[in-house]
């Protein structure tokens, strides 16, 4: 029985998208810019022979007409291409929903004010709903910076740290011990309910727990939880799950992104190696017709948003070294898909996502080298999965299943 393994290299863009001007992201290129920065600082090219052989560098060159130093050859196995996003935003849910066949063609609501992001009226309603008198923060911020700034006040006052970003999010940071993890989850659930009741179309409320004694050692933990709205229609995950032949398995934050709809097995993991290990373990265990869907969040949260091109490059090299482990466990009918949900160029001003093409890399033991070219929507992946699992077609996207099956 064939299985689909989907690895989302969170934030791994490969060149600015056709509509990047609208987002102020013209010339953003997560891959090319981090590779160039790595070469300039380390005086050696990024070492990615396995990804290069799948066509990653070739896809980036086609998408952006950029070249840069790297160690690795030309495409020789698998299929490669690059996809543009048709969803209205460059956020996490939009990217993931679109890749599963459901683009977001409406506009999210946002908290656009950089300071005093949440109105007095909304905060009063949150206080009444939660019983928590007040908050700290109330601004656009980086998740690591804001706990350094407000973490000690939070421990002393018991007030949660609430903040947002350019995405459609309401984020809540709280100390796991002094505030309590269960209390944090309850607070976020109540905020989610309130935003829905107020008809505010905010994509996610995110619980961001942390530990530590003071600003010098505060550290976020792996107990993050996302409270998302549901996708606007059934994704390909729903269709495969309803077929009731195999499993749809979430590794990492995938289940939260889809509000746990279309998922019947959930595995939490923290850290790049832990996410990879959990995915490999599912490949070992699941012998039936299944989707194993993993988000490698560390590329985004640890390196993209923190504007760390060197760390990003090293993480990419590490993923490259571990790729053969996937190949060894896959059977003849398995297909590995590698893509991203948006860009987050670590050399770009600010700390927000960037509007970019994302890679479409495909590996199976039977594919030699196929150029998939430019794809007009991330939904081509969802349509391909639908054909692979013989479920009804999605409303968006063009399948490339025949091209990778010849």
């Amino acid at each position: 029985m064939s299985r689909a393994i989907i690895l989302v290299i969170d934030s791994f863009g490969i060149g600015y998208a056709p509509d990047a001007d609208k987002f102020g992201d013209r010339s953003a290129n997560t891959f090319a810019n981090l590779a160039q920065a790595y070469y300039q600082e380390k005086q050696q090219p990024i070492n990615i022979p396995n990804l290069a052989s799948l066509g990653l560098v070739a896809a980036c060159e086609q998408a952006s007409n950029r070249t840069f130093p790297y160690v690795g050859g030309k495409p020789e196995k698998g299929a490669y291409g690059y996809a543009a996003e048709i969803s209205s935003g460059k956020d996490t849910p939009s990217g993931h929903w679109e890749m599963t066949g459901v683009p977001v063609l409406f506009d999210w609501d946002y908290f656009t004010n950089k300071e005093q992001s949440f109105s007095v009226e909304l905060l009063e309603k949150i206080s009444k709903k939660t019983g928590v008198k007040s908050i700290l923060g109330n601004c656009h911020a980086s998740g690591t910076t804001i706990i350094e700034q407000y973490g000690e006040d939070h421990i002393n006052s018991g007030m949660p740290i609430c903040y947002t970003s350019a995405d459609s999010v309401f984020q809540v940071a709280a100390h796991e011990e002094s505030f309590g993890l269960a209390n944090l989850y309850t607070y976020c659930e109540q905020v989610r309910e309130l935003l829905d009741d107020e008809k505010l179309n905010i994509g996610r409320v995110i619980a961001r727990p942390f530990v530590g004694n003071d600003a010098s050692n505060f550290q976020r933990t792996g107990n993050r939880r996302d409270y998302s709205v549901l996708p606007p229609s059934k994704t390909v995950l729903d269709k495969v799950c309803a077929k009731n032949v195999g499993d749809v398995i979430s590794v990492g934050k995938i289940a939260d992104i889809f509000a746990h709809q279309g998922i019947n097995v959930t595995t939490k993991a923290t850290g790049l190696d832990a996410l990879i290990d959990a995915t490999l373990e599912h490949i070992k265990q699941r012998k039936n017709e299944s989707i194993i869907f993993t988000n490698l969040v560390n590329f985004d949260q640890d390196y993209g948003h923190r504007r760390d091109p060197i760390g990003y490059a090293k993480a990419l090299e590490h993923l490259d070294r571990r790729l053969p482990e996937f190949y060894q466990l896959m059977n003849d009918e398995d297909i590995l898909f590698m893509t991203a949900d948006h860009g987050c160029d670590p050399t770009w001003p600010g700390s927000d996502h960037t509007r970019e093409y994302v890679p479409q890399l495909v590996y199976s033991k039977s594919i030699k080298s196929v150029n998939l070219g430019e794809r007009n929507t991330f939904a081509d992946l969802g349509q391909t999965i639908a054909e692979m699992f013989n479920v009804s077609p999605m409303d968006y996207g063009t399948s490339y299943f025949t091209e990778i099956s010849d």
Side-chain angles (χ1 to χ4, degrees):
M1 301 287 282
S2 59
R3 300 172 297 180
I5 302 108
I6 306 171
L7 291 183
V8 179
I9 310 174
D10 198 320
S11 83
F12 190 55
I14 58 171
Y16 67 90
D19 60 353
D21 281 336
K22 184 174 72 172
F23 297 86
D25 292 335
R26 186 175 179 84
S27 297
N29 189 322
T30 299
F31 185 26
N33 288 338
L34 73 84
Q36 193 65 49
Y38 184 79
Y39 181 74
Q40 290 173 349
E41 178 161 327
K42 299 295 184 180
Q43 292 300 300
Q44 62 186 33
I46 187 170
N47 186 15
I48 47 167
N50 294 305
L51 288 166
S53 70
L54 287 179
L56 175 60
V57 177
C60 184
E61 290 174 347
Q62 291 179 4
S64 62
N65 198 29
R66 287 279 302 276
T67 59
F68 48 85
Y70 70 97
V71 174
K74 300 296 183 183
E76 61 181 16
K77 57 185 174 184
Y80 62 95
Y82 55 102
E85 186 170 11
I86 60 173
S87 293
S88 59
K90 52 181 179 178
D91 55 276
T92 295
S94 296
H96 282 79
W97 296 355
E98 184 171 332
M99 73 176 71
T100 55
V102 182
V104 176
L105 303 179
F106 56 82
D107 289 325
W108 296 107
D109 288 333
Y110 298 90
F111 300 109
T112 55
N113 292 337
K114 297 294 180 70
E115 303 292 336
Q116 303 302 310
S117 302
F118 314 122
S119 69
V120 172
E121 180 184 15
L122 177 60
L123 291 177
E124 288 176 349
K125 290 179 178 178
I126 289 174
S127 177
K128 183 177 180 180
K129 177 82 171 178
T130 64
V132 179
K133 184 177 180 180
S134 188
I135 68 166
L136 299 169
N138 193 14
C139 58
H140 282 227
S142 158
T144 52
T145 301
I146 201 162
I147 62 174
E148 292 175 2
Q149 183 177 359
Y150 291 104
E152 293 179 15
D153 288 343
H154 158 71
I155 292 172
N156 293 328
S157 68
M159 292 187 291
I161 306 168
C162 299
Y163 62 105
T164 187
S165 70
D167 284 353
S168 180
V169 292
F170 188 109
Q171 304 196 74
V172 185
H175 197 276
E176 283 198 1
E177 297 168 4
S178 67
F179 193 84
L181 190 59
N183 287 338
L184 172 59
Y185 290 160
T186 298
Y187 186 91
C188 290
E189 289 164 5
Q190 292 170 330
V191 172
R192 174 79 273 171
E193 291 174 2
L194 178 63
L195 295 176
D196 293 344
D197 290 344
E198 293 294 311
K199 308 300 182 186
L200 289 173
N201 192 24
I202 301 300
R204 290 176 294 164
V205 176
I206 306 178
R208 296 282 198 175
F210 66 97
V211 293
N213 300 318
D214 54 46
S216 68
N217 62 12
F218 286 143
Q219 185 175 4
R220 294 196 295 190
T221 75
N223 292 318
R224 162 185 171 159
R225 186 170 293 180
D226 294 36
Y227 298 87
S228 300
V229 297
L230 287 169
S233 61
K234 298 294 186 184
T235 69
V236 72
L237 306 182
D238 294 303
K239 295 185 178 184
V240 174
C241 201
K243 190 177 178 183
N244 202 29
V245 173
D247 296 311
V248 178
I249 301 156
S250 159
V251 180
K253 68 177 185 176
I254 293 295
D256 285 350
I257 294 168
F258 290 88
H260 294 260
Q261 180 173 284
I263 309 286
N264 59 7
V265 178
T266 301
T267 299
K268 288 290 188 179
T270 302
L272 181 56
D273 276 321
L275 289 162
I276 292 171
D277 289 343
T279 306
L280 293 170
E281 191 61 33
H282 279 298
I283 299 174
K284 291 177 186 177
Q285 294 177 357
R286 306 288 166 171
K287 304 303 181 185
N288 53 2
E289 190 174 275
S290 298
I291 296 175
I292 304 168
F293 197 175
T294 300
N295 177 285
L296 302 176
V297 66
N298 300 89
F299 287 94
D300 187 43
Q301 73 175 20
D302 295 346
Y303 310 115
H305 285 301
R306 296 189 190 184
R307 295 307 191 244
D308 179 4
I310 308 306
Y312 206 129
K314 290 180 178 179
L316 199 62
E317 290 181 328
H318 186 71
L319 174 61
D320 188 275
R321 288 192 295 271
R322 299 209 62 182
L323 264 184
E325 297 177 56
F326 289 86
Y327 302 164
Q328 291 164 10
L329 292 175
M330 291 169 62
N331 64 40
D332 290 345
E333 295 181 327
D334 289 344
I335 303 179
L336 169 66
F337 300 90
M338 301 180 69
T339 188
D341 51 345
H342 48 69
C344 197
D345 187 338
T347 70
W348 205 244
S351 61
D352 294 323
H353 296 156
T354 42
R355 184 74 160 189
E356 297 185 55
Y357 287 112
V358 301
Q360 297 285 293
L361 303 181
V362 188
Y363 171 82
S364 76
K365 293 185 177 180
S366 61
I367 304 174
K368 299 305 179 185
S369 183
V370 178
N371 186 350
L372 298 172
E374 181 174 354
R375 317 303 299 191
N376 294 324
T377 167
F378 295 3
D380 285 6
L381 173 57
Q383 198 71 274
T384 302
I385 297 291
E387 186 174 356
M388 177 180 175
F389 285 87
N390 195 28
V391 297
S392 59
M394 306 303 296
D395 292 335
Y396 295 89
T398 301
S399 173
Y400 49 76
F401 185 66
T402 300
E403 296 172 67
I404 63 175
S405 300
D406 291 342

